[in-house]
Amino acid sequence: MAVQKLKMASIIGRMNELDEVTLRCGQSEMFHPDNVLSFYSDTTPFVPIGEDNPYTAPLQKLSDTCKKIEHPLSFEGAPDCKSEEEDRVLLEYVEKFTSYIEECLKRKNDAEQKIQELNASLRDLSHFAGMDLNLEKVTDCKFVQVRFGVLPKESYDKLSVYNDNPYIMFFPNSSDATSYWGAYFAPTEQIDEIDRVFSSLFFKRISLTGYQGTPEEMIERLQKQHDEATALVNEMNEKLSAHWQQEKDNCQRIFNHLREKSIYFGIRHYGARYHESFVLTGWIPAKGEEEFRESLEPLESVEYSFENAEAQLEHSPPVKLKNPRLFRPFEFFVEMFGLPSYNEVDPTIFVGITYIIMFGIMFADLGQGLCVSLVGLFMWKKSRMRLGKILMPCGISSAIFGFIFGSVFGFEHALNPVYHALFGLEDKPVEVMHPATTNIIIYSAVGIGVSLVMIAMLINIYSSIKKKKYGNALFSPNGLAGLLFYGSIVIGFGGQIAMGWQIVTTPYVLCFMIFPLLLMFFQEILSEILEGRKDWQPASWGEFITQNFFEVFEYLLSYMSNTMSFLRVGAFVLVHAGMMMVVFTLAEMSSGIGYVLILILGNIFVMALEALLAGIQVLRLEFYEMFSRFFDGNGRPFHPVSARQEQNQA
C-alpha cells in the first residue's frame, strides 16, 4: 500500500532558454508541471506567461487538410524527436502544402458542383427530347406563354373536365409509370388563371429558361460540358494522389515535430515570468532526480532545486500508485472511488486481497470459477480491458473455494473421489445446504465483517497518524476509541454467545464501552485541546450536546449496519447452491440432449448473473463498509508531460 515518492522541482532561468527547458522537461517523460502562482503569488512579482501556442494553428491546418483528402494523420512521433530545421521553414512548408491541396480541392469541388447541376439539367431536358422547338424563341414569346413540367397521370385524366376552356390543354412528350412530361400554352393575359388550374392538378413546373436551340442540341452541349467537368475531377484526383505520395513522409515527419513541440509548449502555461526571467515548478519521481538534473545541466542560465513532496503537502502533490504486479489491476477500483492523497494510505493491496477472497466465497464453484478466469484472460488479451485482469485471480479464488465446498458446475458430489483419495474422506467436508453448515456460514460471514471493519479502523488509525491528525486517530468513531468500543462489544457479547465467556461486568462496560463513547462524544473538543487550541469551547453547549448525541447514535447504528451488511457474503453461498438446484430440477424434467442443454444454458446463466452480482456486491462492501472508515480519496493523478503518452492515447 504505497504511493510513489515524488520531489518538487523548481526551475529558474532566462526567458530565451524557456523553450529548451520545456523541451527537456517533456522529453524526460517524468515532469508533472504545476501552477507556479499557487507557490509564489504571495511573495514574488511573477506574472503568468500568457503566450498563445504558435503550433496549434499550423498543426490543425495540416491535420484538417489531410483529412479532406482522406489521409488523416496520427501522431507517431518517437521520444527524443529532434529536428534541426527552423520552425519558420516547417511553417512555410505547411502553408505551401495546404495551399496546393486547397487549390486542387477547390477546383475539384467546383467541377463536382457543376456536374451535379449539369446532371439535373440533362435529366430535365431528356424528358423533352424530340420536341421540335427552339427553346430560346419559345420562352421569349410576348403574347403566348409556355410552361414546361411534369403532370401526374391521374391529373392528366382529369383534364377532360376543362374541355370548355380551349387553353387548358397539356401536350405530353414522354412518360413513365406515374407521370407525363410536356408543356401547356396560354395567352399572356390568361396565363395566371391557367397556372392556377394546373397547380390544382399538381403540375410541377420545370424551368428551361436560358437554353438555346432544340432540346437535343442543348443536351449535346451540356453533355460535352459534363465530360469536361468529369475529366477535370479525374485530373484533380490524380494530382492529389500523386502529390500525397510524394509528400506523405514529409507531412508525417512535420506533423510529428509540430505535435511534439505543441505538447511541450503547453508546459509554458504553468510557468510565470518576471521581466526576462521565468520560473517553472513541477513534480518528478524521486528516483528520477539524478537523470532530470543531468538533462538540465547543459543549460547555462538555468538554476534548479528539488524538495521532498512531504514538505509541500499544502500544495497537494500528485499521486502515482506503486503496487506489486498482482494487485495493480485493483488500482482500477481505487481510482473509481478516488486517488489517495499523497500522505494517505493506498488501499490497493487491501482491496485486492479482500475482493479476491470475498468474491471467491460468494461465487464458490470450481468449474465456473475457472471459466470466469478464462473469460477474464480473453477480455485482457483481446481488448486490454482492466476488468479482465481482475477477473482472472477472482476466478481462481472461486475455483479454490469451489473445491472446498465441493461444487463443480453445480454438481455437489463430483469431487468426492478426490476427497477420498487425498484426505480419506467419504464425502465432501462442507455441505452448504445442511442446516448446521448454513448457520456456520452465516456466523462466518458476520465474523468476516467484524474482522474487516476492525482492520479498516486500524488502517484509519495508521493513516491519521501518518497525516498527523492525532485527534482523529484517538477519538473518532473509526479511531482508537471506536475500535475499543466496537471490539469490546464483539468480544464481550460475541464471546458470551459463542464461547460462554462471562466478561461483561460493570467495570468492563464502564472502561470499554462508556468511556470510549464519551471520547467519541467529545471528539471535537478533545482534538482541539490536543492540537493546543485555546478556543476549544463550543459557542453553545446545548447545541453541541444535541448535535453530538445524534451523531454518536448514528455511529452506533452504523456499527451494526456495517457488520450486518457482510451477511450477503454468506447469503450468496446459499444463493449459488439454490440456483444450481433449480437448474438441476429443470434438467431432470427432461432427458437426453434436453438434459445436457438445460445444464449448459443454466450454468451459463448462473455464471453470468452471479459473477455480475457478486462483483457489484463485493465492490459495495469495499466502498461503503470499509473505505468510508479510513479513505478520503481526494488525491490528484500524477500525469507527466510525455509525447509518448499522447501517442498512446491518440
Side-chain angles (χ1 to χ4, degrees):
M1 296 189 286
V3 171
Q4 184 170 340
K5 295 294 183 181
L6 300 179
K7 287 199 171 184
M8 189 189 80
S10 298
I11 308 170
I12 299 175
R14 305 294 293 176
M15 284 297 298
N16 59 0
E17 287 198 294
L18 179 56
D19 282 338
E20 186 63 25
V21 170
T22 57
L23 180 65
R24 291 171 183 263
C25 288
Q27 290 178 342
S28 72
E29 299 188 339
M30 65 174 72
F31 184 73
H32 175 115
D34 214 339
N35 188 357
V36 165
L37 297 182
S38 66
F39 292 84
Y40 299 104
S41 59
D42 296 334
T43 58
T44 64
F46 281 103
V47 295
I49 302 175
E51 300 175 0
D52 292 333
N53 191 329
Y55 305 102
T56 300
L59 187 65
Q60 189 65 43
K61 189 173 184 179
L62 180 60
S63 177
D64 291 344
T65 300
C66 291
K67 284 180 181 178
K68 290 178 182 178
I69 58 175
E70 299 181 353
H71 292 292
L73 296 171
S74 59
F75 183 59
E76 299 175 358
D80 304 326
C81 174
K82 297 179 181 177
S83 173
E84 302 299 329
E85 300 174 86
E86 295 183 3
D87 288 342
R88 178 181 56 80
V89 176
L90 299 180
L91 299 180
E92 288 177 356
Y93 175 87
V94 171
E95 188 64 33
K96 181 179 178 181
F97 174 80
T98 55
S99 295
Y100 180 84
I101 296 297
E102 290 293 342
E103 177 61 28
C104 290
L105 286 174
K106 184 179 184 306
R107 295 182 65 188
K108 176 186 174 182
N109 293 336
D110 290 345
E112 289 177 339
Q113 180 65 31
K114 186 174 182 179
I115 288 173
Q116 292 180 2
E117 295 172 357
L118 289 170
N119 284 335
S121 297
L122 288 169
R123 184 172 57 252
D124 291 341
L125 284 168
S126 66
H127 295 297
F128 302 98
M131 297 183 78
D132 190 15
L133 293 173
N134 187 311
L135 297 176
E136 183 180 18
K137 293 181 178 180
V138 168
T139 54
D140 287 344
C141 290
K142 295 182 178 180
F143 303 105
V144 176
Q145 298 291 320
V146 62
R147 300 288 189 257
F148 296 96
V150 58
L151 185 69
K153 286 188 173 182
E154 295 85 349
S155 299
Y156 181 78
D157 295 336
K158 297 177 181 178
L159 288 175
S160 58
V161 177
Y162 302 94
N163 285 338
D164 56 336
N165 190 332
Y167 300 117
I168 302 180
M169 296 184 64
F170 184 75
F171 300 93
N173 185 68
S174 62
S175 65
D176 62 13
T178 60
S179 304
Y180 288 112
W181 280 264
Y184 64 86
F185 304 84
T188 301
E189 63 272 11
Q190 296 191 32
I191 192 63
D192 291 339
E193 179 184 352
I194 304 303
D195 283 343
R196 284 194 293 272
V197 172
F198 274 92
S199 178
S200 67
L201 295 173
F202 304 103
F203 175 81
K204 183 179 180 182
R205 186 176 174 182
I206 298 174
S207 177
L208 299 183
T209 304
Y211 294 136
Q212 299 176 353
T214 65
E216 290 85 352
E217 292 172 343
M218 273 309 304
I219 289 173
E220 184 178 353
R221 286 195 291 270
L222 293 179
Q223 187 61 52
K224 184 178 180 180
Q225 295 177 26
H226 186 280
D227 295 341
E228 292 173 352
T230 302
L232 181 58
V233 169
N234 293 334
E235 179 186 352
M236 291 300 102
N237 283 334
E238 291 174 1
K239 282 188 175 183
L240 289 169
S241 178
H243 195 66
W244 171 253
Q245 292 300 322
Q246 178 183 338
E247 300 294 334
K248 64 180 180 180
D249 292 337
N250 286 334
C251 283
Q252 185 64 65
R253 177 176 57 83
I254 292 172
F255 179 83
N256 292 341
H257 176 81
L258 294 176
R259 181 62 176 151
E260 186 180 36
K261 293 292 287 285
S262 177
I263 292 169
Y264 298 153
F265 190 90
I267 298 176
R268 298 167 65 102
H269 297 153
Y270 293 90
R273 66 180 296 170
Y274 177 68
H275 296 310
E276 294 304 316
S277 298
F278 74 87
V279 61
L280 195 64
T281 58
W283 310 89
I284 64 169
K287 64 180 181 181
E289 178 184 345
E290 189 61 33
E291 181 183 348
F292 195 74
R293 282 179 183 272
E294 292 176 359
S295 68
L296 297 178
E297 192 66 34
L299 304 179
E300 296 181 358
S301 73
V302 173
E303 297 180 1
Y304 44 84
S305 63
F306 300 92
E307 187 176 4
N308 289 330
E310 287 80 1
Q312 295 290 337
L313 293 178
E314 68 273 16
H315 295 295
S316 182
V319 172
K320 183 178 182 181
L321 301 181
K322 180 182 178 182
N323 290 287
R325 183 183 299 272
L326 175 63
F327 298 104
R328 285 177 197 164
F330 292 92
E331 293 175 358
F332 175 63
F333 288 154
V334 176
E335 292 168 1
M336 286 175 60
F337 191 90
L339 284 172
S341 301
Y342 186 78
N343 62 334
E344 191 175 10
V345 171
D346 172 19
T348 302
I349 294 179
F350 177 71
V351 170
I353 294 173
T354 55
Y355 194 95
I356 290 172
I357 292 175
M358 287 193 289
F359 186 95
I361 295 173
M362 295 167 71
F363 186 48
D365 190 289
L366 176 59
Q368 294 179 5
L370 294 176
C371 289
V372 168
S373 288
L374 292 175
V375 170
L377 179 63
F378 175 79
M379 291 168 64
W380 172 248
K381 293 294 184 182
K382 184 70 175 178
S383 305
R384 291 296 175 187
M385 295 178 63
R386 298 172 70 181
L387 187 60
K389 295 192 77 173
I390 293 174
L391 287 178
M392 285 189 279
C394 288
I396 294 173
S397 175
S398 299
I400 292 173
F401 282 99
F403 178 81
I404 295 173
F405 292 165
S407 178
V408 183
F409 292 114
F411 291 93
E412 296 293 332
H413 297 280
L415 296 177
N416 284 359
V418 178
Y419 296 133
H420 181 73
L422 294 178
F423 311 111
L425 300 175
E426 295 299 329
D427 201 354
K428 65 177 185 175
V430 180
E431 182 61 62
V432 172
M433 300 305 288
H434 192 279
T437 307
T438 300
N439 291 335
I440 293 175
I441 291 173
I442 297 299
Y443 294 149
S444 299
V446 175
I448 291 172
V450 168
S451 301
L452 292 180
V453 168
M454 295 180 73
I455 291 173
M457 291 181 180
L458 289 172
I459 295 175
N460 178 66
I461 294 172
Y462 169 75
S463 180
S464 298
I465 294 174
K466 186 178 179 182
K467 292 186 288 186
K468 297 182 180 181
K469 295 182 178 180
Y470 302 112
N472 187 66
L474 293 174
F475 310 123
S476 74
N478 296 310
L480 184 60
L483 179 63
L484 189 62
F485 174 80
Y486 184 74
S488 67
I489 295 292
V490 172
I491 295 173
F493 294 100
Q496 183 174 348
I497 294 173
M499 308 296 295
W501 297 342
Q502 300 295 328
I503 59 176
V504 183
T505 60
T506 299
Y508 183 92
V509 172
L510 291 174
C511 293
F512 299 112
M513 297 183 188
I514 302 300
F515 180 64
L517 275 178
L518 291 174
L519 292 179
M520 288 187 282
F521 188 89
F522 293 102
Q523 173 192 350
E524 295 178 16
I525 293 177
L526 294 174
S527 296
E528 291 178 357
I529 293 175
L530 187 64
E531 294 173 3
R533 296 183 182 178
K534 297 181 179 181
D535 56 342
W536 55 267
Q537 297 189 44
S540 170
W541 280 99
E543 181 180 343
F544 173 84
I545 292 173
T546 303
Q547 179 180 342
N548 281 270
F549 172 80
F550 287 105
E551 285 185 0
V552 170
F553 183 71
E554 182 182 354
Y555 297 149
L556 297 179
L557 291 178
S558 70
Y559 288 140
M560 181 177 66
S561 63
N562 292 161
T563 305
M564 292 300 101
S565 288
F566 285 88
L567 285 173
R568 69 192 70 212
V569 177
F572 266 82
V573 177
L574 305 177
V575 167
H576 174 77
M579 291 182 68
M580 290 310 303
M581 187 180 298
V582 172
V583 171
F584 277 95
T585 301
L586 294 174
E588 288 170 0
M589 296 171 62
S590 182
S591 61
I593 188 66
Y595 179 86
V596 175
L597 187 61
I598 291 175
L599 282 184
I600 293 174
L601 294 177
N603 268 276
I604 293 174
F605 174 78
V606 171
M607 183 165 52
L609 181 62
E610 279 202 66
L612 176 64
L613 293 178
I616 293 174
Q617 292 301 325
V618 176
L619 192 61
R620 183 199 177 282
L621 291 174
E622 298 283 356
F623 285 174
Y624 293 100
E625 319 306 341
M626 289 179 280
F627 274 25
S628 61
R629 296 191 174 278
F630 67 88
F631 190 56
D632 294 327
N634 295 324
R636 56 186 179 123
F638 177 72
H639 281 320
V641 176
S642 169
R644 188 200 305 269
Q645 291 182 8
E646 292 283 341
Q647 173 186 354
N648 294 336
Q649 293 171 5

